[in-house]
Amino acid sequence: MQLDRPARSSKKLIGLTPLIDVVFILLLFFMLTSSFIQWQSLDLMVASGNKGEASDEPPLMLGVHGDGTVFLANEPLANLADVQLRELLVSRDRDVNLTPSDASSIQQVVTLLERLEMLGARSVSVNTRPLP
């Protein structure tokens, strides 16, 4: 007795459900790991060894501590308004010497650099040796 059985197909079907799951997981991964921050640049110049003009005024010595507090001659500038700081910078045509502490972040230093640039600082030097 001979039965007619259809031959099994050698092709296996790929299920779409696992494929959709993998695509969904990849989509979530790339959405969560991408950043949507608009990057901005800050122009910095490296100082050369020779100075052009020497100012009669000593540089304005500013310090940044870890909590973001800005100090002028060991006095916090929390109560000093931008108008007063602008007068210190522009009226005397002074340079600024900025010294960050070990605990201060790069973002705090860059924010202060931008603030000083907006207030009209002629030149800002950043010390590589932090405050004690």
Side-chain angles (χ1 to χ4, degrees):
M1 177 175 194
Q2 200 174 26
L3 297 173
D4 289 330
R5 290 186 184 175
R8 288 189 164 180
S9 66
S10 60
K11 294 182 181 179
K12 293 191 177 198
L13 297 175
I14 298 174
L16 287 180
T17 304
L19 184 63
I20 292 171
D21 289 344
V22 168
V23 169
F24 181 66
I25 289 170
L26 286 174
L27 179 68
L28 276 176
F29 173 77
F30 287 118
M31 284 175 56
L32 293 175
T33 57
S34 62
S35 72
F36 299 102
I37 297 174
Q38 183 180 6
W39 292 94
Q40 297 178 0
S41 65
L42 179 66
D43 294 330
L44 297 176
M45 295 186 324
V46 178
S48 60
N50 48 355
K51 282 253 191 185
E53 297 177 16
S55 177
D56 295 339
E57 293 284 331
L60 193 62
M61 303 293 284
L62 295 178
V64 182
H65 285 261
D67 57 355
T69 309
V70 180
F71 282 81
L72 171 66
N74 295 329
E75 295 290 328
L77 292 181
N79 298 329
L80 189 63
D82 282 349
V83 175
Q84 294 168 326
L85 190 55
R86 183 184 319 237
E87 288 175 6
L88 279 173
L89 293 171
V90 176
S91 67
R92 297 181 184 168
D93 198 28
R94 296 175 82 175
D95 296 332
V96 178
N97 195 343
L98 179 61
T99 307
S101 69
D102 280 336
S104 60
S105 68
I106 293 175
Q107 183 61 51
Q108 292 168 339
V109 174
V110 170
T111 303
L112 184 58
L113 284 173
E114 289 176 341
R115 182 178 172 201
L116 290 171
E117 181 184 14
M118 286 188 326
L119 293 175
R122 183 177 69 163
S123 109
V124 180
S125 301
V126 180
N127 289 337
T128 56
R129 292 187 180 170
L131 291 172

